[in-house]
């Protein structure tokens, strides 16, 4: 009789042990899921920090006071900017070379202006690139008259990307807008309209 009474107790203990094993497995699974979520969130935060550390911000400006007379593109962001395309219009008409720009504003062939290569440039943080300026003080008045006066409107748009291939479009219009455009293949400037230098 004693042996018969011990059997149910042993069976109940085995069931309790199986229940504890199931609970332990569930707790281990929950801890593993929690660790996975924490790891994913940490990776997301690190990605956001990296984006902030390498974020470029190009702005386009003009200056008509010496010694900074000219058109300037400045990277005031925290990371390098890789220019992938540019588009220039003179009086809302597309031009694709500096010679065409100069002709569109009525400049003489022998005018002393200096052009910089903007297409496919890589601009480090804090860099200011003067893309168009007079050669010297003597050519400054005619430069200001042709390019910075009220006779003509010179518009510039630039597609650029960060080292993470996040890209933006900036423009020299009154809004001075900067628009996120996705990746390098998403630049809205068609190949036939891109400035060729």
């Amino acid at each position: 009789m004693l042996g018969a009474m011990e059997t149910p107790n042993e069976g109940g203990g085995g069931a309790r042990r199986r229940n504890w094993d199931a609970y332990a497995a569930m707790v281990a699974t929950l801890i593993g899921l929690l660790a996975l979520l924490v790891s994913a969130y940490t990776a997301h935060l690190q990605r956001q920090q990296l984006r902030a550390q390498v974020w470029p911000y190009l702005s386009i400006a003009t200056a008509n006071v010496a010694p900074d007379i000219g058109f300037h593109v400045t990277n005031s962001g925290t990371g390098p900017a890789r220019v992938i395309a540019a588009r220039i219009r003179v009086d809302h008409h597309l031009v694709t070379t500096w010679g065409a720009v100069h002709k569109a504003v009525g400049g003489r062939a022998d005018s002393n202006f200096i052009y910089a290569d903007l297409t496919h440039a890589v601009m480090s943080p804090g860099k200011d690139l003067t893309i168009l300026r007079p050669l010297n003080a003597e050519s400054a008045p005619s430069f200001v008259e042709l390019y910075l006066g009220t006779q003509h409107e010179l518009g510039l748009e630039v597609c650029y990307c960060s080292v993470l291939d996040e890209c933006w479009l900036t423009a020299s219009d009154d809004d001075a807008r900067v628009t996120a455009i996705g990746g390098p293949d998403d630049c809205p400037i068609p190949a036939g309209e891109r400035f060729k230098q």
Side-chain angles (χ1 to χ4, degrees), residues 102-157:
H102 196 59
K103 183 178 177 183
V105 298
R108 297 187 322 270
D110 61 346
S111 296
N112 295 319
F113 303 143
I114 296 176
Y115 315 107
D117 184 10
L118 175 63
T119 57
H120 307 294
V122 176
M123 296 181 61
S124 57
K127 182 173 182 177
D128 179 278
L129 177 64
T130 305
I131 62 168
L132 179 63
R133 67 180 177 88
L135 176 64
N136 50 39
E138 290 76 30
S139 59
S142 60
F143 178 89
V144 170
E145 180 184 343
L146 288 176
Y147 291 99
L148 302 177
T150 56
Q151 294 180 20
H152 302 284
E153 182 182 345
L154 187 67
L156 173 63
E157 294 173 288

